Amino acid sequence: MDRSNGMKRSSSENATNATRDPETNSANTADLTVAKPWKQRFSFRQPRKQHTLEETPAQGKMCRRSASMRNSSFRNNSAKSSTNQISETNAQAPPKKSNWEVIEHYNPGNALTGAPSGQTKDSPDDDSDDDEDEVESILLDHTHEWWNMWALFRRVFRSHRFKNVHVEVLYQRYFLRMNQNNMTSLLTLLIAIAVTMIVVNYILSDADSIMQGVTLGVFSIMYLILVILMTRSFLNEVYLIIFSYIVLASFFGIEVLIVLDSDPRSANAGVWCTMFFIYMTYTLLALHVEECTVSGLLLGFTQVACAAGLNYTDEFLVKQMGGNTMLFLCTNIAGVLTHYPSEVAKRQAFMETRQCIEARLTTQRENQQQERLLLSVLPRHVAMEMKADIAGKPTDTQFHKIYIQRHENVSILFADICGFTVLSAQCTAEELIRLLNELFARFDKLANEHHCLRIKLLGDCYYCVCGIPDARPDHAHCCVELGVDMIDAIALVREVTGVNVNMRVGIHTGRVHCGVLGLRKWQFDVWSNDVTLANIMESAGFPGRIHITPETLMYLNGDYEVEDGNGADRHPYLQEHNIKTFLIVPPDHFTNPAKQKHVIVRNGKIVLGSEISKELRMMGHGEHNQTGIKTKLGIGPGADDEKNTEEEVNDYLARAIDARSIDRLRTEHCKRFFLSFRDKEIEERYSKQRDKMLEAYFTCSIFIYISLYILQMIAIPETDKTGQVFMASGGVILFITSLILCEKCTCLPKPITRFSNYISASRILAQLLGIINVGALFACVVVPMFDLDNNRIDECVDRLYGNINTTSEKSLCDDRMGPNITYMHQMLKNISIVYGNETATEEACGFTRHTTHFPEYFTYSMLLVLISCAVYQMMISALKAVYLILLSSAYLAIVHYQCWNMFDNQDFLLQTHDGNCPHKYMETRYMVIAIVISFTIALIIHGHQTESTYRLDFLWKLQATEEKEEMEHLQAYNKKLLSNILPVHVAEYFMSGDKNNDELYHEQCDSGCIIFASIPNFSEFYVELESNNEGVECLRLLNEIIADFDEILEEDCFHCIEKIKSTGATYMAASGLADQSSIIDNMHVDAMANYALRIREQLNYVNEHSFNNFKIRVGINIGPIVAGVIGAKKPQYDIWGNAVNVASRMDSTGVIGKIQVTQDIEQILKPKGFLLTCRGMIPVKGKGEMLTYFLDGRGSNNTGMGAGSLPGRREEAFS
């Protein structure tokens, strides 16, 4: 076949028909100012500067957009690699229904319970839906001064519920699910404590209280039942609230039992268990801080009230009540400062995770819409290959990658609308676009039904292929059936418009090369000599008939009746190559053109009577009111989009919460004891997380320090070392706490605040300072113990009475003689040794140092120290456990090896004061072991559960973030492809959801500059031989030329120029479309003239290094143009207008090697210093005689481009 017929259309035909084709980009350019050498190839991953309408204000009314568009550019999303995904969300467990009991419990009286999630607000005036508003109530409020305790109190105890009730319900489910392990651990510990108390009561002492044993036994059984129920799957999270209230009620019962049934009777009875219950209420029960605070205060009040009522006659009752009140108050403060940061952290992590999931689902939905829009323009196999190349690393190759595939046995159909010029003359621009869109939408639907792939729309020409990408044996039949339906469809248009329009269809079967060329504005296209022949078959056909070649007839297998087409009589190519043609005999069901109906055309829509409404519905017009263009594109609302994003996020979270197995996650990602992540990278990221509630932990140490000092002043005699140790410890604690808090103080010098911020940001330093604080508090407890007298009082009594065995067990409680405790009590009173009167005891016994009758307050103080350590929730659980064990062991060692006589003295005085035999009861110093160990175990469990929760929250948020980033990464690929197919503002128009469903995109620009650049002699170069891979290597060279033209557009000085398309060897671009600022002083025309000169120079450079002699022919014009999108299933952005047609004629009537421009262009360029030569009057089809000019180059005063901008030279040559 002759080379001149190598491309599917002649360059003049391409130039003429290219006035109606897709895709402009929103003035995107690179920062380059010179063309790259061919050795440095364009990379898909290379960043590009984006110019949008937001960068410069609009000037005048040069651009009128008929459709509403968003002016914002695509978001720039970071592309990061992802590692993990939320495994629990992939579980198949069905989502649980909303627990409305939880709503009623946590949102009493809330009228918005059933409101839609998107409308739930605190007040009608609150119209902000930002995520920041959702977390407003839990973020630290730094607007108040640090010393404003009232503001702090209000912030801690105000409602932390989310404004959105559905989000709050999800959080409650999450919160209760996370607290199941806490509840199970607490119940197990309570069972162990109850059993221990029963053993002590009945085995290790003579205090055989039946009531106490039975009650503790009943509570143990109840706890055991609750533990069993906790493991049952049929109970959902709401039952955890009920269990919490049951356990809380048991706390009150046990407390009252111990206080009222204590033996010996004492105002300090039950203090330790009250402190234990108060702190466990805050830490291990699934209650909110308000409920915990009320319960903790009631527990303390109950103990104080019961003890006061039972011991109101004791002279030293006020001292004990004061000390107990201080203990309970401090325990409640510590509980609040433990619970509040924990809830803040959980809510913050929950909301951040939800925000990540919401962003991920939103991005996923946008990505699906982008992908559907992308796949509506490019076939899937091409789009996937391009996306894989974008994701991969750029490679430095001699040539750009060419996305071309060869297919054999493919049928090509060309269909042209005859009479379209008359029809378009009766329509406005908007009506024309709407009519084309509706007509081609019908053709697209028919092509899809007949398994054909539409390639392009060239003005009023529609062409498609069958057998791509998957081969079909019936490809010829599909094309013929499609041609029949298209002729039938255009007959309806003829009927309803009254205009004599028809379809001329040509079909040929053979080989095609399909793919995309260039770097920008990709369009899927086909090339080959067979494509050229199919095009000729259409142009040589008859209106209303299907014109086929012998190759197509062979594949029809005689299934259609044909007649001679005599195509050689109408086209020289067919005559020259002696190609016999045939016409398909029309089937009987063709629409009768003579059957006319009463119709009118209004606003581009066909309005008709009831007689033909059925036919028009068949054509697709009836669908127009139900499904708009975005639905046809696959990006409108569908079955999967019935839920809004917020509902979808809530459902996603609900499934994730239900499927979340804490034990499994901990086993998979964390080590068993140390809880550190198995993945070192995740552990490092977690260690860099800053605890935002660090100030609360150190502030709690201040409160406990003050409480210890007041407690020492009330219950323990003051010694010299007491003042010294409290002064030293107080200085350390105040200094460390101030160092942490001064970060928020703006009045301090910057170096101090920076140093404070450095300490707060370092987990290691923060933990070290916390350990020092707890150590200082521990010193405040144990140091005064060494300064007190440790002599035994019973030995003092023996010495005073001169009876060695008077106070012995035998003489006090002789079973044969009967106990003489009453006599002993009176005898002790006579010598001024009375329980609670330490001064008299010191004088009577001649002690040289102070003594105390209430050493148990040292134990209670020690419990506060242990609690202070538990408050530091940023401390890793393993370190906290070791530190708690060390502190407890040290205290117990001091009690049993240094100060054990003090506790025995208390037992002796208290038992005799209450009329009991001391030796029949377990010594208090042994009970101290059980109390301290119980506290230590409970606090270790709490620390372990807290860190586990924090780490799993971090992991959940991290996985959600990585999922979001992965989706953003994928979205970035789609956006990169999409921006190379449709202009950014056009793609945004289709992606946005705030427009009418049937609204088409079109815009009118009053001063658009259009360029057509063709290589007329490329058809002579194209030849299909085995040596050049059947023409692929020729296309590869064309791809390099187009890619070079595209790369020049990347330069910043050409950012206002939009590539429209490349069709065959014709390149089309326009300026002044999206970038309105470029129209000022006709800068867009200046840029277009420079661009024309640059691509001519570039083609000369290609000739020099590829040993070819390609010649360029360029035409430029300026005038009003209309831009829009046609094609519902496969949208194509294109420009129309008389100015576009004239620009095409400037190319087709031009001179090879010259740049022909109109007089309007000459009047703009000449004052700017460009060199132009008058060509004279030339005939232009449809315009008559026109005066044209040749653009020769840049003048000396032209500043647009300089000689230094010429492309660099490449040493390699084309083979």
Side-chain angles (χ1 to χ4, degrees):
M1 183 175 290
D2 189 81
R3 289 189 183 185
S4 62
N5 298 312
M7 300 305 293
K8 64 185 177 190
R9 286 176 179 260
S10 66
S11 60
S12 61
E13 289 174 325
N14 285 334
T16 302
N17 290 310
T19 61
R20 306 177 180 94
D21 250 35
E23 303 153 90
T24 22
N25 202 323
S26 135
N28 300 333
T29 68
D31 293 331
L32 304 176
T33 57
V34 295
K36 299 178 185 177
W38 281 37
K39 189 180 294 184
Q40 301 174 4
R41 282 308 175 189
F42 177 80
S43 168
F44 289 121
R45 303 176 72 93
Q46 179 178 351
R48 294 177 54 197
K49 181 180 178 182
Q50 293 192 358
H51 300 266
T52 65
L53 291 177
E54 290 183 345
E55 294 181 5
T56 53
Q59 301 291 336
K61 298 182 179 179
M62 302 298 292
C63 182
R64 302 190 302 272
R65 296 198 177 185
S66 304
S68 60
M69 296 183 302
R70 289 182 177 176
N71 293 329
S72 59
S73 61
F74 279 136
R75 294 177 300 169
N76 294 324
N77 293 303
S78 60
K80 300 181 180 178
S81 60
S82 61
T83 54
N84 301 329
Q85 294 197 354
I86 304 178
S87 56
E88 58 270 24
T89 59
N90 296 327
Q92 300 300 321
K96 294 185 180 180
K97 296 181 179 179
S98 299
N99 292 322
W100 295 107
E101 302 100 322
V102 181
I103 300 179
E104 294 170 359
H105 173 74
Y106 286 104
N107 298 273
N110 192 340
L112 297 176
T113 299
S117 59
Q119 301 175 358
T120 308
K121 296 183 182 296
D122 281 351
S123 66
D125 295 331
D126 183 11
D127 53 2
S128 175
D129 290 331
D130 293 337
D131 289 334
E132 288 78 4
D133 290 342
E134 297 287 357
V135 298
E136 174 197 4
S137 60
I138 65 172
L139 292 175
L140 286 176
D141 185 3
H142 298 302
T143 58
H144 300 288
E145 293 81 359
W146 62 271
W147 44 264
N148 193 337
M149 292 295 105
W150 175 244
L152 175 65
F153 179 83
R154 285 189 304 170
R155 186 164 71 245
V156 170
F157 290 101
R158 71 183 176 184
S159 174
H160 297 307
R161 302 182 185 98
F162 297 117
K163 294 178 182 179
N164 189 320
V165 65
H166 298 283
V167 176
E168 178 64 24
V169 171
L170 282 175
Y171 172 74
Q172 297 305 332
R173 292 177 61 179
Y174 159 79
F175 172 76
L176 296 173
R177 175 63 65 91
M178 294 300 294
N179 275 275
Q180 283 182 334
N181 283 353
N182 291 351
M183 179 67 75
T184 304
S185 301
L186 176 61
L187 291 172
T188 304
L189 182 62
L190 290 175
I191 292 173
I193 292 176
V195 171
T196 302
M197 292 177 66
I198 293 174
V199 170
V200 170
N201 187 53
Y202 284 95
I203 298 177
L204 301 181
S205 70
D206 291 343
D208 51 354
S209 172
I210 297 177
M211 179 185 296
Q212 191 172 125
V214 171
T215 305
L216 290 175
V218 171
F219 281 139
S220 299
I221 296 174
M222 181 188 70
Y223 294 150
L224 184 60
I225 294 174
L226 292 181
V227 170
I228 296 174
L229 290 176
M230 290 285 292
T231 61
R232 299 305 176 194
S233 60
F234 63 85
L235 295 179
N236 59 15
E237 296 85 357
V238 73
Y239 289 93
L240 197 61
I241 303 172
I242 301 174
F243 292 171
S244 297
Y245 285 136
I246 293 175
V247 173
L248 184 60
S250 71
F251 286 171
F252 282 95
I254 294 175
E255 178 191 46
V256 172
L257 174 69
I258 291 177
V259 174
L260 298 182
D261 198 40
S262 62
D263 189 16
R265 176 179 56 85
S266 171
N268 290 335
V271 171
W272 71 269
C273 69
T274 302
M275 294 177 64
F276 178 84
F277 292 154
I278 290 174
Y279 197 70
M280 293 302 104
T281 301
Y282 282 99
T283 55
L284 297 181
L285 290 186
L287 301 175
H288 283 307
V289 66
E290 300 93 335
E291 299 166 316
C292 293
T293 303
V294 173
S295 302
L297 293 176
L298 286 178
L299 282 169
F301 175 79
T302 301
Q303 196 282 335
V304 171
C306 292
L310 194 62
N311 302 278
Y312 65 93
T313 58
D314 290 348
E315 298 177 358
F316 44 85
L317 180 63
V318 175
K319 178 190 294 188
Q320 291 178 298
M321 292 299 98
N324 296 347
T325 302
M326 181 55 61
L327 286 170
F328 301 149
L329 182 61
C330 185
T331 305
N332 275 282
I333 292 174
V336 169
L337 293 178
T338 303
H339 189 287
Y340 171 69
S342 177
E343 183 174 7
V344 167
K346 289 177 182 177
R347 284 185 176 269
Q348 188 71 30
F350 177 83
M351 182 50 65
E352 289 176 354
T353 302
R354 185 183 182 276
Q355 289 170 350
C356 290
I357 292 175
E358 182 175 16
R360 179 225 179 223
L361 292 179
T362 302
T363 306
Q364 182 181 24
R365 179 172 292 186
E366 293 175 356
N367 184 62
Q368 290 171 351
Q369 292 178 346
Q370 290 172 1
E371 189 148 331
R372 285 194 291 265
L373 183 58
L374 175 65
L375 295 179
S376 71
V377 180
L378 292 177
R380 176 175 291 275
H381 67 282
V382 177
M384 295 302 106
E385 185 180 1
M386 288 181 169
K387 209 182 291 188
D389 289 340
I390 293 176
K393 294 182 178 180
T395 56
D396 187 11
T397 58
Q398 184 178 10
F399 296 104
H400 294 91
K401 181 173 181 178
I402 186 170
Y403 298 95
I404 289 182
Q405 295 179 345
R406 185 173 65 184
H407 294 270
E408 303 286 346
N409 299 327
V410 174
S411 291
I412 309 107
L413 179 148
F414 274 80
D416 191 67
I417 303 176
C418 303
F420 179 78
T421 303
V422 178
L423 181 63
S424 61
Q426 302 179 5
C427 303
T428 65
E430 180 179 355
E431 292 170 348
L432 176 62
I433 294 175
R434 188 176 298 277
L435 184 60
L436 282 174
N437 180 73
E438 294 183 356
L439 183 60
F440 288 138
R442 176 58 180 167
F443 290 169
D444 285 342
K445 185 176 181 181
L446 292 173
N448 185 61
E449 291 175 355
H450 293 295
H451 313 287
C452 294
L453 178 66
R454 189 249 279 176
I455 302 301
K456 268 188 181 181
L457 306 175
L458 297 174
D460 57 347
C461 180
Y462 185 101
Y463 71 99
C464 60
V465 297
C466 185
I468 295 176
D470 299 321
R472 292 183 61 88
D474 59 344
H475 51 85
H477 293 78
C478 291
C479 282
V480 171
E481 289 297 324
L482 175 59
V484 170
D485 287 347
M486 292 175 76
I487 294 174
D488 200 12
I490 201 67
L492 289 177
V493 177
R494 182 170 60 249
E495 292 174 4
V496 300
T497 61
V499 179
N500 186 21
V501 292
N502 213 326
M503 295 298 295
R504 190 170 57 219
V505 180
I507 303 176
H508 173 59
T509 302
R511 174 198 305 122
V512 299
H513 302 296
C514 64
V516 296
L517 296 180
L519 300 177
R520 304 180 68 186
K521 295 301 176 294
W522 288 315
Q523 289 184 2
F524 189 70
D525 208 345
V526 291
W527 306 269
S528 71
N529 292 328
D530 291 321
V531 174
T532 303
L533 180 55
N535 182 24
I536 293 173
M537 291 297 295
E538 174 267 312
S539 60
F542 289 106
R545 301 298 299 273
I546 301 175
H547 198 200
I548 64 173
T549 60
E551 288 79 6
T552 303
L553 180 63
M554 180 183 64
Y555 281 97
L556 291 177
N557 300 322
D559 293 337
Y560 293 86
E561 184 179 352
V562 298
E563 60 187 19
D564 288 340
N566 300 318
D569 298 339
R570 297 181 298 277
H571 201 285
Y573 181 89
L574 299 177
Q575 183 179 12
E576 180 182 351
H577 292 82
N578 195 25
I579 298 176
K580 183 177 177 60
T581 64
F582 303 90
L583 294 173
I584 300 290
V585 175
D588 296 335
H589 67 269
F590 262 28
T591 302
N592 183 7
K595 187 179 180 181
Q596 299 291 331
K597 300 293 185 295
H598 174 66
V599 296
I600 59 174
V601 178
R602 181 182 300 161
N603 295 330
K605 292 185 179 180
I606 302 172
V607 183
L608 55 150
S610 59
E611 294 180 359
I612 59 171
S613 59
K614 180 179 179 180
E615 286 82 355
L616 282 174
R617 283 197 299 270
M618 290 174 57
M619 181 177 172
H621 292 288
E623 302 172 356
H624 185 71
N625 294 328
Q626 287 81 26
T627 58
I629 185 171
K630 291 197 294 180
T631 303
K632 294 174 184 177
L633 286 171
I635 60 177
D640 297 334
D641 299 330
E642 294 179 357
K643 297 181 180 179
N644 59 37
T645 302
E646 188 168 358
E647 292 174 347
E648 190 176 357
V649 171
N650 292 341
D651 290 345
Y652 186 98
L653 263 178
R655 292 192 297 270
I657 292 170
D658 293 335
R660 190 178 190 190
S661 172
I662 298 174
D663 294 331
R664 176 170 54 83
L665 278 176
R666 186 185 302 154
T667 303
E668 290 178 357
H669 298 281
C670 300
K671 296 179 181 178
R672 180 177 297 274
F673 178 73
F674 294 101
L675 289 181
S676 57
F677 290 112
R678 301 182 187 277
D679 191 326
K680 294 182 179 179
E681 182 180 354
I682 299 178
E683 179 64 28
E684 183 179 357
R685 295 177 66 176
Y686 176 77
S687 63
K688 294 179 180 179
Q689 288 285 108
R690 177 173 177 172
D691 196 323
K692 297 179 180 179
M693 299 302 295
L694 203 61
E695 298 91 343
Y697 309 148
F698 286 89
T699 303
C700 182
S701 295
I702 295 290
F703 282 112
I704 292 180
Y705 169 77
I706 296 173
S707 301
L708 289 178
Y709 183 75
I710 295 175
L711 191 63
Q712 291 271 358
M713 296 301 101
I714 292 175
I716 307 297
E718 184 177 2
T719 65
D720 295 337
K721 291 185 178 180
T722 301
Q724 295 173 3
V725 70
F726 270 93
M727 184 175 296
S729 299
V732 172
I733 295 173
L734 288 174
F735 173 76
I736 292 176
T737 305
S738 301
L739 194 60
I740 297 296
L741 296 178
C742 69
E743 179 190 3
K744 302 296 186 295
C745 187
T746 57
C747 60
L748 294 176
K750 291 288 185 181
I752 297 179
T753 55
R754 281 198 297 266
F755 181 67
S756 175
N757 180 66
Y758 172 74
I759 293 177
S760 300
S762 173
R763 276 185 173 264
I764 296 177
L765 291 178
Q767 292 179 84
L768 179 61
L769 294 180
I771 290 174
I772 294 174
N773 266 6
V774 175
L777 294 174
F778 179 73
C780 293
V781 174
V782 298
V783 169
M785 296 176 67
F786 291 93
D787 209 23
L788 293 176
D789 193 279
N790 199 35
N791 293 315
R792 295 182 62 91
I793 294 180
D794 56 352
E795 294 179 356
C796 171
V797 174
D798 292 341
R799 186 176 65 254
L800 289 176
Y801 279 91
N803 298 322
I804 299 176
N805 295 323
T806 301
T807 59
S808 63
E809 298 175 5
K810 183 177 180 180
S811 61
L812 283 176
C813 300
D814 192 337
D815 295 333
R816 293 174 298 174
M817 299 178 59
N820 55 358
I821 295 298
T822 303
Y823 169 75
M824 188 65 191
H825 177 69
Q826 185 62 37
M827 184 175 62
L828 293 175
K829 189 175 182 180
N830 291 337
I831 60 175
S832 300
I833 299 180
V834 179
Y835 178 58
N837 192 344
E838 290 103 341
T839 304
T841 302
E842 294 168 6
E843 294 176 354
C845 294
F847 293 157
T848 58
R849 293 184 296 177
H850 292 291
T851 188
T852 179
H853 292 180
F854 306 103
E856 55 193 359
Y857 280 102
F858 285 118
T859 300
Y860 302 148
S861 298
M862 184 60 200
L863 298 183
L864 287 181
V865 174
L866 297 178
I867 289 174
S868 72
C869 183
V871 169
Y872 287 94
Q873 298 181 69
M874 83 294 184
M875 194 179 298
I876 60 176
S877 59
L879 176 62
K880 184 183 293 185
V882 171
Y883 198 42
L884 286 172
I885 292 174
L886 289 176
L887 294 175
S888 302
S889 301
Y891 177 76
L892 293 177
I894 293 172
V895 168
H896 285 269
Y897 295 101
Q898 176 64 29
C899 303
W900 60 276
N901 282 337
M902 284 193 295
F903 290 89
D904 288 350
N905 290 340
Q906 180 194 21
D907 291 338
F908 175 78
L909 293 174
L910 184 58
Q911 298 291 355
T912 55
H913 173 74
D914 200 39
N916 297 325
C917 294
H919 71 279
K920 294 186 178 180
Y921 297 86
M922 177 177 284
E923 289 86 344
T924 301
R925 52 193 170 97
Y926 294 118
M927 287 297 296
V928 168
I929 298 177
I931 293 172
V932 172
I933 290 179
S934 299
F935 253 87
T936 302
I937 294 175
L939 297 181
I940 289 175
I941 292 174
H942 166 252
H944 191 274
Q945 296 290 351
T946 299
E947 185 182 2
S948 177
T949 301
Y950 280 9
R951 285 182 175 272
L952 295 183
D953 283 343
F954 172 79
L955 182 65
W956 199 18
K957 183 175 71 174
L958 178 65
Q959 292 173 343
T961 303
E962 290 175 342
E963 266 196 345
K964 181 192 72 170
E965 291 173 351
E966 178 188 12
M967 195 56 59
E968 289 174 349
H969 201 186
L970 184 60
Q971 185 188 43
Y973 297 153
N974 282 348
K975 284 184 176 179
K976 201 167 187 67
L977 282 177
L978 202 56
S979 65
N980 245 351
I981 295 171
L982 292 175
V984 173
H985 62 282
V986 177
E988 271 199 334
Y989 172 83
F990 285 113
M991 298 303 300
S992 61
D994 57 351
K995 294 172 291 299
N996 295 330
N997 212 23
D998 61 345
E999 189 174 349
L1000 295 174
Y1001 173 81
H1002 63 279
E1003 58 181 343
Q1004 183 172 338
C1005 297
D1006 294 336
S1007 182
C1009 187
I1010 311 99
I1011 184 173
F1012 281 83
S1014 61
I1015 306 175
N1017 61 340
F1018 186 83
S1019 57
E1020 302 172 4
F1021 173 78
Y1022 182 85
V1023 62
E1024 294 180 2
L1025 299 173
E1026 186 177 353
S1027 60
N1028 66 2
N1029 196 12
E1030 302 297 339
V1032 172
E1033 296 307 318
C1034 299
L1035 294 176
R1036 188 184 303 278
L1037 179 55
L1038 179 61
N1039 181 64
E1040 293 299 315
I1041 295 173
I1042 295 175
D1044 284 345
F1045 291 176
D1046 290 342
E1047 283 185 331
I1048 294 175
L1049 284 182
E1050 296 291 323
E1051 300 177 13
D1052 187 66
C1053 56
F1054 299 129
H1055 74 270
C1056 63
I1057 302 177
E1058 303 277 357
K1059 177 184 176 182
I1060 303 299
K1061 61 191 169 188
S1062 60
T1063 303
T1066 300
Y1067 193 93
M1068 179 183 178
S1071 63
L1073 298 179
D1075 190 358
Q1076 302 176 28
S1077 64
S1078 64
I1079 303 177
I1080 302 173
D1081 195 27
N1082 292 311
M1083 290 187 296
H1084 65 303
V1085 181
D1086 191 338
M1088 188 64 80
N1090 282 315
Y1091 180 69
L1093 296 172
R1094 283 291 305 279
I1095 61 176
R1096 185 172 67 177
E1097 294 165 356
Q1098 183 67 23
L1099 187 60
N1100 292 333
Y1101 171 68
V1102 172
N1103 289 332
E1104 179 183 347
H1105 290 274
S1106 62
F1107 306 106
N1108 282 290
N1109 190 29
F1110 296 125
K1111 297 295 183 180
I1112 196 167
R1113 188 179 62 199
V1114 182
I1116 304 177
N1117 186 34
I1118 187 172
I1121 59 176
V1122 176
V1125 174
I1126 58 174
K1129 287 293 183 182
K1130 295 178 179 294
Q1132 288 192 0
Y1133 180 78
D1134 206 349
I1135 57 177
W1136 299 267
N1138 181 63
V1140 180
N1141 295 332
V1142 172
S1144 173
R1145 299 292 182 250
M1146 290 298 101
D1147 170 29
S1148 60
T1149 62
V1151 177
I1152 292 179
K1154 295 290 187 178
I1155 302 172
Q1156 183 171 233
V1157 301
T1158 60
Q1159 188 175 8
D1160 293 336
I1161 295 291
E1162 185 268 344
Q1163 292 174 355
I1164 295 173
L1165 294 181
K1166 191 171 183 179
K1168 293 178 177 290
F1170 285 88
L1171 302 178
L1172 294 105
T1173 302
C1174 180
R1175 182 184 183 186
M1177 304 297 291
I1178 63 168
V1180 177
K1181 182 180 178 181
K1183 295 297 178 181
E1185 297 288 327
M1186 289 188 66
L1187 180 62
T1188 63
Y1189 295 81
F1190 289 134
L1191 174 61
D1192 298 325
R1194 313 172 187 91
S1196 57
N1197 63 337
N1198 179 262
T1199 57
M1201 293 293 297
S1205 299
L1206 296 178
R1209 295 297 185 255
R1210 185 183 66 169
E1211 298 300 326
E1212 298 85 0
F1214 286 96
S1215 57

